[in-house]
Amino acid sequence: ATITSQGTSLGNIIQYNYNGGTPIFGCYANLSYTKVALYKLYTVEDVDAPYIKSGMVNFGTALLDESTVAGSRKVEVNAINLTENIVATLANGTVFSIDTTLLDRDGDYITVSYKADAVGHYVDTLLLTSGATTTQFIVSLTVDKRLTVAEVKALDDLTTCYLQPVVVTKKYDKYIFVRDDTGSMMLFDGSNLYGKDLDNGYVLTDVKGLYKNYYGNPNITLTAAFQSKKGETVLPEVQTAPIDSADACRYISAENVTFKGDSLVTIGEVAVPIYDMFNSMAPVTEDDMYQIEGIVYYYNRPVFCPTAIEVMPPTALTQVEIDGLYVEDGRVVCAGAFRIYDLLGRDVTRLNGSLQGVYVVTTETA
């Protein structure tokens, strides 16, 4: 039986400090300490005395994927020197049930079952009685459910959680970036073992771990192996607005991006720091516009980590919505006295077939 604290400490599992620290028992945020457990010692003063013996039944954690979750376990009941059959009863009997209420006086098997329809921790007591001889043992069950990314983000730090199926957008070393229909987050594979062969598009199921907001990045530290299956390539989400903290761990794509030196990039007209996490940077110039894909990481503020960078090719202008301007063979022709500038202030009045986006038209002599 593991002791669980009901307090507000970051760690809620009471542990033993084997280094001899003070206090020797406590709720530690570091879950590497030895877990404290309670055991019940059975003693028989007279070897000929009648007794009934059985162990605690802990069903562990069951996941509520449907409206109800059910299961069972066959338990051996040992008995000796009894003169009457054993009567079995449950103290509560709402979540748990037994297949029989009468067992042989020399011992027998009894099947304990459960059926639950809500998340929670359930405990019951199974009583075994034969005349004046009696014993009891605990039956316990924890019911949890698989969560969406959005639901995981609402958890307290160091909460054990189970994740609904997610798809991999990018993997970097021990960090696996994933998303579902509700949002994006990352998985931390400390041993780099569970997900060493993953790539974009892999679908992960049975993900389990401890949730923590890691410097602003929603993160699950994996505590068990998951199932993975190769799927379709995942495309980045188109980003037109400036990125912020809510975009942490998202896989995005932005067009008409400009670089400011080698440390800033504009996304949604706002300058954002860049970090070459994926070793995907290439020589860039401040005069060109780019299409850029990558992962949004958060460290005190949004940081963009490119995975692919391409110069945006010029696009021929096919329509002009200003009187006196028209296109002829891909060239902007000014029928009046106009000059055309791009948003960087460059004169593109006579630039053949390369105008796209937003421009400033003046009444200066062309």
Side-chain angles (χ1 to χ4, degrees):
T2 302
I3 308 170
T4 302
S5 168
Q6 300 301 309
T8 58
S9 173
L10 285 178
N12 69 340
I13 304 297
I14 295 180
Q15 299 172 85
Y16 166 66
N17 188 346
Y18 53 83
N19 291 321
T22 301
I24 195 169
F25 297 108
C27 293
Y28 300 103
N30 184 349
L31 298 181
S32 64
Y33 291 106
T34 303
K35 310 257 185 328
V36 177
L38 292 181
Y39 299 90
K40 184 175 181 180
L41 178 64
Y42 290 89
T43 59
V44 180
E45 297 179 359
D46 184 351
V47 294
D48 294 324
Y51 78 92
I52 309 170
K53 184 179 179 181
S54 185
M56 179 183 72
V57 175
N58 184 355
F59 285 104
T61 299
L63 296 177
L64 187 63
D65 292 326
E66 305 295 338
S67 58
T68 60
V69 61
S72 64
R73 182 175 299 174
K74 199 171 185 179
V75 182
E76 184 178 11
V77 177
N78 296 310
I80 192 170
N81 296 330
L82 300 179
T83 59
E84 301 178 29
N85 288 335
I86 304 169
V87 177
T89 58
L90 281 166
N92 191 337
T94 55
V95 171
F96 301 100
S97 60
I98 51 180
D99 65 334
T100 181
T101 58
L102 195 64
L103 287 79
D104 188 84
R105 65 183 185 180
D106 295 324
D108 206 343
Y109 286 90
I110 184 172
T111 299
V112 183
S113 304
Y114 67 83
K115 185 175 183 181
D117 58 7
V119 171
H121 183 65
Y122 302 97
V123 179
D124 206 338
T125 303
L126 181 58
L127 303 172
L128 302 174
T129 304
S130 173
T133 304
T134 183
T135 190
Q136 62 183 38
F137 62 87
I138 298 298
V139 181
S140 65
L141 166 72
T142 299
V143 177
D144 212 329
K145 68 175 183 178
R146 294 182 175 89
L147 304 177
T148 65
V149 169
E151 290 171 327
V152 169
K153 290 180 181 181
L155 298 175
D156 294 330
D157 277 0
L158 297 180
T159 299
T160 298
C161 58
Y162 302 81
L163 195 58
Q164 288 187 5
V166 290
V167 63
V168 175
T169 57
K170 192 67 179 177
K171 182 180 186 297
Y172 168 70
D173 193 26
K174 301 176 182 179
Y175 301 95
I176 306 167
F177 295 91
V178 298
R179 78 184 188 201
D180 64 9
D181 293 338
T182 69
S184 300
M185 68 181 307
M186 68 179 182
L187 311 178
F188 179 66
D189 182 4
S191 61
N192 203 16
L193 174 64
Y194 300 135
K196 63 179 180 179
D197 298 322
L198 295 180
D199 202 350
N200 179 291
Y202 273 74
V203 179
L204 310 184
T205 56
D206 296 330
V207 174
K208 176 188 177 183
L210 292 175
Y211 172 73
K212 186 175 183 180
N213 187 300
Y214 183 73
Y215 294 104
N217 301 282
N219 168 72
I220 290 179
T221 298
L222 299 173
T223 57
F226 51 74
Q227 301 295 318
S228 64
K229 182 178 181 181
K230 189 174 182 179
E232 300 294 329
T233 299
V234 176
L235 299 178
E237 300 174 271
V238 177
Q239 183 80 11
T240 56
I243 61 176
D244 57 25
S245 59
D247 295 311
C249 301
R250 286 184 64 212
Y251 177 41
I252 66 170
S253 172
E255 295 184 346
N256 300 323
V257 171
T258 57
F259 282 83
K260 305 295 183 183
D262 58 358
S263 61
L264 293 174
V265 65
T266 58
I267 298 179
E269 303 301 326
V270 174
V272 178
I274 55 175
Y275 174 61
D276 193 15
M277 177 185 290
F278 302 103
N279 298 316
S280 299
M281 288 294 294
V284 295
T285 66
E286 295 188 9
D287 295 330
D288 290 319
M289 287 191 174
Y290 295 85
Q291 177 176 348
I292 184 169
E293 297 178 2
I295 297 289
V296 180
Y297 197 73
Y298 199 84
Y299 190 78
N300 296 324
R301 59 175 175 168
V303 177
F304 191 66
C305 305
T307 59
I309 302 173
E310 293 184 6
V311 177
M312 294 192 67
T315 303
L317 184 62
T318 58
Q319 180 177 349
V320 176
E321 297 182 355
I322 300 178
D323 292 339
L325 297 179
Y326 62 95
V327 177
E328 184 176 277
D329 296 328
R331 180 187 296 274
V332 178
V333 178
C334 302
F338 296 104
R339 274 196 181 279
I340 306 172
Y341 296 89
D342 64 17
L343 294 183
L344 297 179
R346 297 174 297 193
D347 188 342
V348 294
T349 305
R350 300 298 181 186
L351 193 59
N352 182 23
S354 63
L355 295 185
Q356 60 178 11
V358 180
Y359 296 87
V360 176
V361 179
T362 75
T363 56
E364 301 173 17
T365 301

